[in-house]
Amino acid sequence: EVQLVESGGVVVQPGGSLRLSCAASGFTFDDYTMHWVRQAPGKGLEWVSLISWDGGSTYYADSVKGRFTISRDNSKNSLYLQMNSLRTEDTALYYCAKDISAVASGYFDYWGQGTLVTVSS
Amino acid sequence: DIQMTQSPSSLSASVGDRVTITCRASQGISNSLAWYQQKPGKAPKLLLYAASRLESGVPSRFSGSGSGTDYTLTISSLQPEDFASYYCQQYYLTPQYTFGQGTKLEIK
């Protein structure tokens, strides 16, 4: 059974930093591109970032470019999102999501339950 | 970026009804469209991809169609478990993936 379990979400002040983690199991992690997708409270879905199967390619939404860094450790079946210079508009539930292939196909067949990041003073 | 516009934003329907949700892209996306269902407090679930291909395990009452810029999700006979929010997503413009704003399907 595929499982994605996010962690690391907390309340942080504007300008602060945070690292989210996603632990994957039930599939061959290094066979797939992975993504982060977020959802602000009561709002829709926003794609945030992706990383290729080997970590060699990373991409970001314009809204987080230069502030967030995605990474992965295939030896630990784990995905990460380093979030710096946080803004109030980054407040959201952050989902880890699995792409359907090793190269980014761009849609997601499994999602975690999300971890809540609240940016507030 | 490609803008995705869903309509309606909300919809009331009864069990057994046939329901259609529309998604319009700001430019052609060559059927690179997925549909997701999201229930309150839960993660989104993939229903269809490539505009009309049903994800494994998804009931056949869900179907998708469309081309170019205009796409539809149809539920042929609503079941109680189908009351949820639905999102379309384009993956034509890699990697700037975008979602529609969502359609909330409520019980009449």
Side-chain angles (χ1 to χ4, degrees):
Chain A
E1 178 194 5
V2 171
Q3 284 199 319
L4 299 169
V5 180
E6 303 92 337
S7 60
V10 291
V11 178
V12 61
Q13 291 189 337
S17 297
L18 199 55
R19 189 197 199 203
L20 306 183
S21 300
C22 171
S25 61
F27 65 103
T28 305
F29 184 66
D30 57 9
D31 276 354
Y32 296 92
T33 287
M34 296 295 295
H35 302 258
W36 288 98
V37 178
R38 68 184 181 183
Q39 186 170 34
K43 301 297 184 182
L45 299 163
E46 180 187 16
W47 175 80
V48 173
S49 182
L50 75 82
I51 186 167
S52 60
W53 66 276
D54 62 350
S57 296
T58 58
Y59 295 95
Y60 301 91
D62 288 343
S63 57
V64 307
K65 199 173 295 182
R67 301 187 298 121
F68 289 10
T69 302
I70 191 172
S71 61
R72 65 191 294 163
D73 185 338
N74 286 345
S75 69
K76 295 182 178 179
N77 287 351
S78 292
L79 176 71
Y80 306 101
L81 186 67
Q82 177 66 43
M83 309 166 68
N84 297 332
S85 302
L86 282 160
R87 305 168 180 167
T88 55
E89 56 264 36
D90 295 319
T91 294
L93 188 63
Y94 284 74
Y95 292 104
C96 163
K98 173 185 166 293
D99 199 286
I100 62 103
S101 82
V103 293
S105 293
Y107 61 97
F108 323 114
D109 57 355
Y110 289 95
W111 301 60
Q113 288 305 300
T115 188
L116 182 61
V117 173
T118 303
V119 185
S120 174
S121 54
Chain B
D1 286 7
I2 297 176
Q3 308 303 317
M4 305 300 292
T5 303
Q6 280 182 241
S7 60
S9 296
S10 63
L11 175 60
S12 294
S14 302
V15 172
D17 284 354
R18 179 183 180 91
V19 166
T20 297
I21 298 169
T22 297
C23 184
R24 173 166 288 176
S26 59
Q27 67 181 75
I29 56 171
S30 297
N31 288 2
S32 297
L33 186 89
W35 288 97
Y36 300 88
Q37 177 193 66
Q38 187 178 33
K39 296 182 178 180
K42 301 294 187 181
K45 173 187 175 183
L46 178 64
L47 297 177
L48 297 111
Y49 59 95
S52 61
R53 296 192 176 188
L54 205 62
E55 173 69 352
S56 176
V58 174
S60 59
R61 63 181 179 272
F62 291 92
S63 64
S65 64
S67 64
T69 60
D70 295 329
Y71 298 86
T72 60
L73 170 69
T74 299
I75 309 172
S76 60
S77 178
L78 272 174
Q79 299 302 300
E81 60 268 29
D82 300 337
F83 292 94
S85 292
Y86 293 85
Y87 294 90
C88 62
Q89 179 228 338
Q90 68 80 20
Y91 51 95
Y92 176 77
L93 187 60
T94 300
Q96 298 303 325
Y97 313 116
T98 47
F99 292 86
Q101 81 279 14
T103 294
K104 187 174 183 180
L105 179 53
E106 299 175 306
I107 301 174
K108 184 182 286 184

